[in-house]
Amino acid sequence: MDAQSRGRAENIDPADQWVLNPNTGEYELRLSTSAAQSPVPGPRRPDHRGSDARGARGPARGRGDAAANGTREMPQARGADVPAPRRRRSTEPEQPQGRRNRRPVKKKGKAKKILAWTAGGTAFVVIAVGAAGYLYLKHLEGNVTTTDVGSAAKDGFSKDDAFNILIIGTDKRTGKGNVGYGDPNSLGHADTNILLHVSKDRTNATALSIPRDLIVNVPDCPTKQADGSEKVIPGTQNDRFNISLGQRGRDAGCTMRTVGELTGIMPDHFMMVDFNAVKTLTTAVGGVNVCLAHAVNDKDSHLKLPAGPSKVEGEQALAFVRTRHSWGNEGDLDRIKVQQQFMGSLMRKMSSSDTLTSPSKLLDLAEAATKALTVDKGIGSVSTLKDVALELKKVPPKNISFVTVPVLDNPADGRYHKTVIVNQTAAPPVFDAIKNDVSFTEVKKEKKAAKDAAAARLKGSRSAPSEVRVRVLNGGAQAGSAQDTLQWLQTKEGVLKSENGGNAPASLSKTTLEYAPDQASQARELAHLMGLPGTALKPGKSVTNAQGLPTMTLTLGKDFKGAGVSLTAPAKAPSVDKSTADKQQCAS
């Protein structure tokens, strides 16, 4: 080897030093140190001279200038013999010809060597990561606790529809460090309750808080038992909302049914956490930012924080959301406002770049979140929970509203108010807005042209009720709805040219009215009588009834609420006291 080759030994391409061992089928680091080594292709024996235990490079020999200095190797040196073709390993190698430093076989280009090595390595990495990902997914799945609540929850999750999830925070105590909170003998009551509604178009979401001390009627609850049987737990009248869980063996399905009874909005699924979840989740994300209008030193919750911004996690975060006597009127309603502000801050932290770009935080968060959750079987897999999270992530934080069920002090309590009742004037509009997918924030209206076209179908002359001819079908509404509607139209509204068409061929999510162009005035009158929105009117064709006369087709969908109940959604949500997930407020 000449001096130039020795001086450039440090420029050896690493890919040239990895060789496939035919005996093991694996790549091994080979450091050539002998110029006398046979140039004939074939398996090379390891030579560790010139290298330490970690495989440090020694001087490169027998490689020539081109190999040593990292430049491209020419196919053939000037004056050199043409190298013999490479033989298969199973054949006998040819003897070298000519001078010893001539290469009988052209070596692979460096780029090809790198590709050969990295392709094998990449394939291994992909397989390893895929297997690890699968195993980790199964591991996370084992963290999640599922509860069979029967028909109270849906069987699966749809990414194409609006959805409602009841989030329940119980006073059950699990894990270390929960001493001092809640009733140690409690089965777990519905201490914090939020009905999360996510709109169909994902432009907005509403988190409706339900006070734990709200007086409600708890309905009969079919509850799955440990042996697989079902037991109906009798309902109770005028009880606190929080006893819809835990009391008498009630499960989360009972709480879901109570929400449906209270609001008219049946949750699709539930997610339940206990005290320990607040500690583990806040620790996983490295703390949550909060703000206080005044300093707090609460002897009951042991929360001690100065006025202004602070960061809380673990035990301190739990104390923050449990504190009641340091806020407002020292009641549960003021604590709910603080909890809503805390949730908004936690959502911002979980979606921040600081969290999303930290693999360790993401893993900790995945572990903490799955270990904390108890859910229904419909969303019991980690992949489904991921889908739920991704759908919620589509909603801009500025359009995630936190509101509370409008309530009044319970007059039955007398002088000392311990419970509240629903404000029958202010609450129904709030429930209607959520049921009809109406946002509590201003959102950008998309597809304005289509909306305007639908509204235009309601404008124009209307026929007299006696001239409206319609066939009523049930397309997903409650059983008997078609007959009830027919009776209502004929006896209450004078639509005598109406008939019951039975069940529709397919189920519909929305009620529709199909009509021919010359029936537009009839369609507008029926829409007026029934409170149908313009989107329900479908210009198309008429059908022939038993008398051979053209008639419109009214198909009652799953959104049908009953004969005479309007289906027109409110133009906007009522004005309520609310906060949004994008802004921090100071607890006071």
Side-chain angles (χ1 to χ4, degrees), residues 74-391:
M74 299 300 293
Q76 182 177 347
R78 183 180 300 175
D81 295 335
V82 176
R86 186 183 295 273
R87 291 181 178 271
R88 297 181 183 273
R89 287 175 178 166
S90 59
T91 60
E92 291 294 327
E94 293 181 356
Q95 295 298 320
Q97 298 177 4
R99 293 181 300 174
R100 292 176 61 186
N101 63 345
R102 288 181 180 172
R103 298 177 181 175
V105 178
K106 173 182 155 184
K107 298 180 77 175
K108 286 184 180 180
K110 292 180 181 178
K112 290 183 179 179
K113 284 187 177 183
I114 294 172
L115 285 175
W117 179 62
T118 56
T122 302
F124 172 77
V125 169
V126 169
I127 293 172
V129 171
Y134 174 78
L135 293 174
Y136 188 65
L137 185 68
K138 287 299 179 186
H139 163 72
L140 291 178
E141 212 136 275
N143 289 345
V144 181
T145 302
T146 60
T147 298
D148 186 357
V149 293
S151 60
K154 290 186 175 179
D155 292 335
F157 174 73
S158 172
K159 293 188 285 187
D160 300 321
D161 298 323
F163 60 91
N164 302 300
I165 294 181
L166 179 61
I167 301 171
I168 307 171
T170 75
D171 56 4
K172 184 177 180 181
R173 311 192 315 172
T174 62
K176 297 180 180 179
N178 276 321
V179 177
Y181 292 104
D183 177 6
N185 299 315
S186 172
L187 296 173
H189 297 111
D191 193 62
T192 301
N193 310 278
I194 296 175
L195 178 61
L196 176 65
H197 170 81
V198 180
S199 69
K200 180 179 176 66
D201 60 7
R202 306 300 188 251
T203 61
N204 65 93
T206 302
L208 178 69
S209 291
I210 303 172
R212 66 174 188 176
D213 295 326
L214 178 65
I215 297 300
V216 296
N217 295 329
V218 180
D220 295 343
C221 296
T223 307
K224 294 284 186 179
Q225 303 300 298
D227 60 1
S229 63
E230 186 174 85
K231 175 184 177 182
V232 176
I233 301 175
T236 54
Q237 304 292 307
N238 298 319
D239 255 327
R240 293 181 189 236
F241 183 89
N242 70 334
I243 61 96
S244 63
L245 177 71
Q247 202 85 355
R248 302 183 182 181
R250 294 184 175 117
D251 62 10
C254 294
T255 310
M256 295 173 70
R257 296 178 196 275
T258 304
V259 170
E261 186 95 356
L262 170 69
T263 65
I265 307 165
M266 188 62 196
D268 301 312
H269 304 283
F270 83 88
M271 295 181 179
M272 185 164 63
V273 296
D274 60 25
F275 284 160
N276 208 46
V278 176
K279 298 193 294 187
T280 56
L281 287 174
T282 54
T283 301
V285 297
V288 173
N289 296 320
V290 297
C291 179
L292 279 68
H294 56 81
V296 169
N297 187 359
D298 194 294
K299 63 179 182 179
D300 295 313
S301 68
H302 309 296
L303 178 68
K304 186 176 181 179
L305 288 175
S310 295
K311 180 181 286 188
V312 295
E313 66 176 276
E315 192 71 33
Q316 197 175 40
L318 178 56
F320 184 83
V321 298
R322 290 287 300 163
T323 295
R324 180 175 61 178
H325 298 297
S326 296
W327 317 126
N329 295 322
E330 302 186 13
D332 194 49
L333 295 180
D334 290 300
R335 178 170 61 176
I336 286 175
K337 292 180 181 179
V338 173
Q339 290 174 344
Q340 291 172 344
Q341 294 164 16
F342 177 85
M343 284 190 63
S345 183
L346 178 59
M347 292 174 71
R348 290 192 298 273
K349 187 60 182 286
M350 290 173 68
S351 60
S352 68
S353 58
D354 179 52
T355 300
L356 297 179
T357 58
S358 171
S360 62
K361 282 187 179 180
L362 287 174
L363 289 176
D364 289 345
L365 186 58
E367 289 286 350
T370 51
K371 286 180 179 178
L373 279 178
T374 297
V375 300
D376 60 272
K377 294 178 68 176
I379 55 172
S381 70
V382 170
S383 60
T384 304
L385 289 172
K386 176 206 68 178
D387 289 341
V388 173
L390 290 178
E391 292 305 305

Side-chain angles (χ1 to χ4, degrees), residues 24-108:
T24 65
E26 298 180 353
Y27 282 91
E28 297 178 356
L29 183 65
R30 303 292 177 83
L31 300 177
S32 174
T33 59
S34 173
Q37 181 176 321
S38 173
V40 181
R44 293 185 294 173
R45 294 183 179 178
D47 187 348
H48 297 293
R49 286 174 296 172
S51 66
D52 59 17
R54 294 186 302 273
R57 296 172 182 168
R61 299 176 184 176
R63 287 171 52 91
D65 293 347
N69 63 20
T71 59
R72 217 170 186 175
E73 186 177 31
M74 299 300 293
Q76 182 177 347
R78 183 180 300 175
D81 295 335
V82 176
R86 186 183 295 273
R87 291 181 178 271
R88 297 181 183 273
R89 287 175 178 166
S90 59
T91 60
E92 291 294 327
E94 293 181 356
Q95 295 298 320
Q97 298 177 4
R99 293 181 300 174
R100 292 176 61 186
N101 63 345
R102 288 181 180 172
R103 298 177 181 175
V105 178
K106 173 182 155 184
K107 298 180 77 175
K108 286 184 180 180

